[in-house]
Amino acid sequence: MQEKLSSIDRKILRLLQHNADLSAAEIAERVELSQSPCWRRINRMQEEGLIERKVALLNHKLLGFSITVFVDIKLSAHGRSNLDEFEKAIVGYPEVLECHTMAGSSDYLLKVIAKDIDSYERFLRDHLLQRPHVQEAHSNIAMSEVKRTTELPLD
Amino acid sequence: MQEKLSSIDRKILRLLQHNADLSAAEIAERVELSQSPCWRRINRMQEEGLIERKVALLNHKLLGFSITVFVDIKLSAHGRSNLDEFEKAIVGYPEVLECHTMAGSSDYLLKVIAKDIDSYERFLRDHLLQRPHVQEAHSNIAMSEVKRTTELPLD
DNA sequence: TTTGAAACACGGACCAA
DNA sequence: TTGGTCCGTGTTTCAAA
């Protein structure tokens, strides 16, 4: 699974995951390479899937999303033999930004974003808790954000 | 805090948060606008901070990050009167991708990424638990990812 | 690795509704 | 104020040396 990355490739990735607006030329300069070979490396890493995509990150607050909720979900024994149905539904909810399967007491951890507590509760009551086999759902409400990044630590 | 967004602006944001490689011209086409006015809107939204930045998202697995850990942290009463010191340290750790202050029993929820359990435990023991005033730290290990997106639901 | 040419994107000036 | 057209400049992409 792990790739052997040259130190130049790592530098390129570090730059791009911080600012995807950098042109191939700017990156080339910073990694002390010339334009074309640098461009080829970026391209290769995109084709290999190392670079999954480039996206714009939006400001939660300015768009009115004031809370993030981490929800621990436990399924009934029966539900656990039929995870696909639950997972498909989860992937389809745009308010669910992340869903992880967990080792330990919960089955899933969801990260859900909402405009306010009321709209979160509506989502919980009308959608999440309506899924069959959901036995427990504990909502942990995040009030403020100390840090948020998508940058992986590339040593 | 909330902005009044036109439906065109929302469309543009929806496109850009899905794929930041789209040129102003391509976006213009999709939102039925011509190039310049579309470009101006994008620019405006960047200046307003609605669009925070553009980044490349990298593939965790291919880079060898096999686990994500959600850590609940409780500080001692004394530590709670001095949160800044803790938060500054947290922001400086590249393996901590997110840190939220929580309503409820924990003080912080951290999302930490690591190559394997061993390297996570080293980080926990040698860094996190070394911070003064950390009273409890519960690690919840995520095993697989059902969903991960940075796209906000813009209705 | 460098050069260069064709295609394309950016961002300004300016006009119309 | 918001949209549209035109166009010079710079950037990207990719082939050929």
Side-chain angles (χ1 to χ4, degrees):
Chain A
M1 218 67 191
Q2 169 124 18
E3 300 273 324
K4 58 283 150 245
L5 274 186
S6 75
S7 86
I8 290 183
D9 286 342
R10 263 203 304 278
K11 268 190 205 166
I12 293 174
L13 291 178
R14 234 181 281 131
L15 291 167
L16 278 177
Q17 70 171 342
H18 188 71
N19 179 4
D21 276 331
L22 292 172
S23 69
E26 286 168 307
I27 293 172
E29 215 181 322
R30 285 187 176 66
V31 302
E32 323 230 85
L33 210 62
S34 59
Q35 198 170 126
S36 314
C38 182
W39 177 83
R40 270 189 304 251
R41 279 168 186 268
I42 296 170
N43 237 249
R44 197 202 65 230
M45 293 193 282
Q46 246 156 0
E47 265 148 32
E48 291 172 348
L50 255 167
I51 297 174
E52 285 185 349
R53 63 200 320 190
K54 294 183 187 163
V55 302
L57 300 180
L58 309 185
N59 185 302
H60 297 205
K61 288 260 171 64
L62 290 178
L63 288 163
F65 294 97
S66 61
I67 59 166
T68 300
V69 185
F70 291 89
V71 196
D72 293 312
I73 302 241
K74 225 182 249 190
L75 300 185
S76 66
H78 177 256
R80 233 165 272 138
S81 64
N82 187 10
L83 300 173
D84 259 27
E85 195 253 313
F86 180 78
E87 297 186 2
K88 282 218 188 75
I90 289 301
V91 170
Y93 293 129
E95 41 278 88
V96 177
L97 301 192
E98 298 181 21
C99 174
H100 306 262
T101 66
M102 304 302 285
S105 53
S106 299
D107 292 315
Y108 292 103
L109 178 62
L110 270 54
K111 177 177 163 186
V112 178
I113 196 159
K115 303 229 167 193
D116 51 46
I117 302 260
D118 280 1
S119 73
Y120 170 69
E121 285 190 331
R122 263 197 308 279
F123 170 69
L124 181 65
R125 194 185 55 228
D126 299 345
H127 294 97
L128 264 190
L129 295 180
Q130 297 305 315
R131 308 307 319 165
H133 315 304
V134 171
Q135 194 167 75
E136 280 183 51
H138 275 121
S139 302
N140 301 289
I141 299 178
M143 318 196 59
S144 71
E145 212 168 56
V146 177
K147 179 175 188 178
R148 174 168 62 100
T149 183
T150 56
E151 295 176 37
L152 304 180
L154 306 175
D155 8 66
Chain B
M1 219 64 192
Q2 168 123 20
E3 298 274 321
K4 60 279 154 248
L5 272 186
S6 76
S7 86
I8 291 183
D9 287 341
R10 263 203 305 276
K11 269 191 205 166
I12 293 173
L13 292 178
R14 236 182 278 132
L15 290 167
L16 278 177
Q17 70 172 344
H18 187 71
N19 179 4
D21 276 331
L22 291 172
S23 70
E26 286 168 308
I27 294 172
E29 216 181 322
R30 284 186 175 67
V31 302
E32 324 230 84
L33 211 63
S34 61
Q35 195 171 130
S36 290
C38 182
W39 175 84
R40 269 186 303 233
R41 277 167 187 270
I42 296 170
N43 235 249
R44 197 203 65 232
M45 293 192 282
Q46 246 156 2
E47 266 148 32
E48 291 172 347
L50 257 166
I51 297 173
E52 284 185 349
R53 61 198 323 188
K54 294 184 188 163
V55 302
L57 300 180
L58 309 185
N59 187 302
H60 298 206
K61 290 258 170 64
L62 290 177
L63 288 163
F65 294 97
S66 61
I67 59 167
T68 300
V69 185
F70 291 89
V71 197
D72 292 312
I73 303 242
K74 225 183 246 189
L75 299 186
S76 67
H78 177 254
R80 234 165 274 140
S81 65
N82 188 9
L83 300 173
D84 259 27
E85 195 253 313
F86 180 77
E87 298 186 2
K88 283 220 186 73
I90 289 301
V91 170
Y93 293 128
E95 42 278 89
V96 177
L97 301 193
E98 300 180 21
C99 174
H100 307 263
T101 67
M102 304 302 286
S105 52
S106 298
D107 290 316
Y108 291 104
L109 177 63
L110 271 53
K111 178 178 162 187
V112 178
I113 196 158
K115 303 230 169 194
D116 50 46
I117 302 261
D118 280 1
S119 73
Y120 171 68
E121 285 190 332
R122 264 196 310 280
F123 171 69
L124 181 65
R125 194 185 57 229
D126 299 346
H127 294 97
L128 264 190
L129 295 180
Q130 297 305 314
R131 308 306 320 164
H133 315 304
V134 171
Q135 195 167 74
E136 281 182 52
H138 275 120
S139 301
N140 301 288
I141 299 178
M143 318 196 60
S144 71
E145 212 168 57
V146 177
K147 179 175 187 177
R148 175 169 60 102
T149 182
T150 56
E151 296 177 36
L152 304 181
L154 306 175
D155 8 66

